[in-house]
Amino acid sequence: MNETATEGEGRGGRRARGGGGAARRAERSAPRLEAARYIARNIPNFEILTSEAIEIIEHNAETVLQEIGVNFVDNPEALQRWRDAGATVTGERVRIPRGLARQLCATAPSQYTQVARNPERNVVIGGKNLILAPVYGPPFVRDYEHGRRYATMADFEKFVKLTYMSKWLHHSGGTVCEPTDVAVNKRHLDMLYAHMRYSDKPFMGSVTEKSRAVDSVKMAEILFGRDFVAENAVMTSLVNINSPLTFDSIMMNALEVYAEANQACIVSPFIVGGAMAPVSVAGTLTQVLAEVLAGVAYSQLVRQGAPVIFGAFVTSIDMNSGAPTFGTPEASKILWGAGQLARRMNLPFRSGGALCGSKLPDAQSAYETSNTLNAMLLGGVNFCLHAAGWLEGGLVASFEKFVLDADQLGVLHSIAEGIDISENAQAMDAIREVGPGGHYLGCAHTQANFKNAFWRTQVLDYKPFEQWSDEGGRDSYRLAHLRVERLMSEYVAPDLDPGIDEALKDYVATRKASEPDAFA
Amino acid sequence: MNETATEGEGRGGRRARGGGGAARRAERSAPRLEAARYIARNIPNFEILTSEAIEIIEHNAETVLQEIGVNFVDNPEALQRWRDAGATVTGERVRIPRGLARQLCATAPSQYTQVARNPERNVVIGGKNLILAPVYGPPFVRDYEHGRRYATMADFEKFVKLTYMSKWLHHSGGTVCEPTDVAVNKRHLDMLYAHMRYSDKPFMGSVTEKSRAVDSVKMAEILFGRDFVAENAVMTSLVNINSPLTFDSIMMNALEVYAEANQACIVSPFIVGGAMAPVSVAGTLTQVLAEVLAGVAYSQLVRQGAPVIFGAFVTSIDMNSGAPTFGTPEASKILWGAGQLARRMNLPFRSGGALCGSKLPDAQSAYETSNTLNAMLLGGVNFCLHAAGWLEGGLVASFEKFVLDADQLGVLHSIAEGIDISENAQAMDAIREVGPGGHYLGCAHTQANFKNAFWRTQVLDYKPFEQWSDEGGRDSYRLAHLRVERLMSEYVAPDLDPGIDEALKDYVATRKASEPDAFA
């Protein structure tokens, strides 16, 4: 297993700065916290597009950019940048000559390191690596006891803590749910503080307004130091494209802030196939590529070398109800195809997640989720948002679904290791020792290897039927609820320098006091 | 979609023979029954083993056969066949000189057609094809209303009927559950009759005793005609190897009967990793290959050219409880590796299924199932037993899980089609028509293509939350139960020549009368 295990840190202790006997005692009493290193795949990518198909799609995407173009809305500065770069600008429409966008994209790095405040949690995004981050965006939460309700800041903090404690999640994410009990213009401050205080994993910045992106950078400067942030990517933020072919000023302003600060963005078409893109896979891939080419090129016009990820969030649609659907074959095919297109651009790739349409963490949610997670792993995704906790088409963040999904992410880690072909793994001595008709449970090879031979679940049930039945015949939803409760009871916050903590709190308080609450 | 749609056939009508007005009216009133053609993959296989790793495993497997050997138990005739072929036989141990087994396997066909009584249901097993068959073997059934109980012949017939009605299952399977209310020595007769009478899809023969394999061939001769059976594979039957490295006489006798009758067998190690094989993936693959080499070679010693499938049923083990586990990373890796080894032998490959350890059709069951089904599709499996209905480690056949799994098999069909890159699928006119900021729902391309653009579920829920909630907030288990009830209410048996039906019934009655009931 590709993992690093670290001690849980003492409650309010000062471990990193030395500390006294009390801090050391606190360390010893804290539960051991295991955190896996990000996935470095030792398996091939699944490539569904032929090279001929790739060439057709790439050609068509350039045709889209040149003939149809893209809109940069309410953003004269962006239009000027495009004009200067050689595009044809008519009103807000930007037509990009064949080849120009791809050429501009070439200055974006093929991989970058996002630094965490705990350096053991740094992630290298790109290459054959895979970084897993929790659900992003739901206005509702669901839990086993209280059902579905609007999310609050307390729920948000709970997801940050669960993510921090989850061995297989490498990244704390961003808007793990919308804290609807905090003003729209202030909640980003509380969210950023929660990621910085209750976790030591890397996190995302706010994108919902230019000033909020600026706040994100400033708070990161408090946490990491100003010079450090200027030289290191300490945030990866989500910039959605308003598909089809539209770049709105809110998202572009956030992109501009981050790119100028040398911080990373995911440039991601957000597509419900059949509504925001053609009903065909090839047509959707063409549009995705055109949009990403334009968006990534723009990031490089803002600042050459700014780190950026090729994103593709694509679902299909139920043509009867208009509902977005997840875990579908069309979504898997688009994910695989988009991965190939991203690798042709030498860009890190974002797609997939524990996506589902189900209202409950039931069989439907798991079929849909598992279809997507498996496609995601084999499709070469480098950054996977929504890897745990997503429910009901992203309207709901579910605590129980979170721990079920997080457990499955362990499966992906193990698959990604590939097949060990060492002499020990060949196990010829074991086969000789046991022979025809024997069994392997007690043989020397099994004794030496069984501890790490198999992935182990933290939540699924393997008990004999009778025992399971005597214990109440609990389904996964119920078992997951028990795990959520146990994890929360064991949570211990990672250490944070009290001076930094105070400075972050001051910043949040000052910014909150500077403007009235807004709820829209 | 790769499918053929046929009319449901009239109740007791004589459609195939002409029939009168009444038969035609019955046809018109029968529900339309859609049956997909078997999957012909238009996507690459996922290959996890490097060629170096394959060579090591192949070399080691030959070492196992030559140095350790395999046991053929209680089977002097088999030992003689091996002696004649050049193996070294000591007691029941057969040591096979390096290269001999693989050389003997070369006469097995790389693919074969299993004929169904409805020729539209014929399946070609091998190449890039995938044939999906239902669960096999559970002594228990579970349904939503009555929970878990011993399976009966009525349950068996219900699964045969559900499989017949399931668009995405190509094969009726064999022991879809154990009808425990029928004597052990007679139930195979009722099972075979049910497959022949209540379905027109291809099916499997009995393997639990030599005489039962003989009965299977004789009943098939009644159904298809004696000469026809001599020249065509009309059954594919499951011959498990008693891993490690042991071939028991019951299974080998069945193999001998079928091979002599030119009927197909799956030669399949049955392995709980860590118990019947080493805890390592590479070691397990070595043993699997050695076992299949010996088993397939033996089938060719019985009759050169007899159709046979490279099987690999492999699960991992929970080292705490000893329970077999499903949907694990180790199982996926073994499946992928075994597929590569099978293709190197030019043999059809059997593995995978809707495998899970869960007691209920809940999230656990679906995660585990979907992990396995996805690995199975990409791993190049040609024959997938247990593709629907498997629950609780194969102890239970679940009606609700069956329809949930069967629905997911539709996802696999669509993925296997690959990406259409035709001019229509490129959809450039649609992108031009809609342009930046528009939407695709009403555009000409969508109107022309939406009907077949997306896979559609028959059982999952896509309703808005409020409607779903008003309707009782039903989970997948409950929704699946409703689908089972609807399917059963719509079932109409396929037409069968009354003379053949009578002859089959006579055979069953005569055989049953010829010996007393045995329940062990």
Side-chain angles (χ1 to χ4, degrees), chain A residues 380-396:
Chain A
V381 167
N382 300 115
F383 189 89
C384 179
L385 199 57
H386 315 301
W390 168 291
L391 197 67
E392 204 187 311
L395 285 175
V396 174

Side-chain angles (χ1 to χ4, degrees), chain B residues 229-250:
Chain B
V229 171
E231 285 160 23
N232 294 277
V234 299
M235 285 179 289
T236 297
S237 303
L238 178 62
V239 170
N240 281 329
I241 297 168
N242 207 341
S243 303
L245 303 170
T246 304
F247 296 77
D248 68 51
S249 60
I250 290 176

Side-chain angles (χ1 to χ4, degrees), chain A residues 370 374 377 407-408 410-416 453-457 460 462, chain B residues 271-273 279 281 314-319 323-336 353 355-357 364-365 367-373 375-376:
Chain A
S370 188
N374 281 288
L377 177 68
D407 192 58
Q408 287 294 305
V411 175
L412 306 188
H413 280 73
S414 180
I415 289 176
F454 301 119
W455 165 78
R456 290 185 189 200
T457 182
L460 302 182
Y462 296 153
Chain B
I271 290 176
V272 178
V279 289
V281 169
V314 181
T315 80
S316 34
I317 195 172
D318 174 32
M319 278 296 184
T325 52
F326 300 89
T328 63
E330 296 78 29
S332 292
K333 286 191 256 191
I334 291 168
L335 187 157
W336 290 324
L355 308 180
C356 65
Q364 175 175 347
S365 81
Y367 284 116
E368 294 171 331
T369 292
S370 188
N371 286 347
T372 312
L373 289 180
M376 185 276 293

Side-chain angles (χ1 to χ4, degrees), chain A residues 280 359 367 370-371 405 425 461, chain B residues 280 359 367 370-371 405 425 461:
Chain A
S280 63
K359 320 293 184 296
Y367 284 116
S370 188
N371 285 347
D405 291 340
D461 175 85
Chain B
S280 63
K359 318 293 184 297
Y367 284 116
S370 188
N371 286 347
D405 292 340
D461 175 85

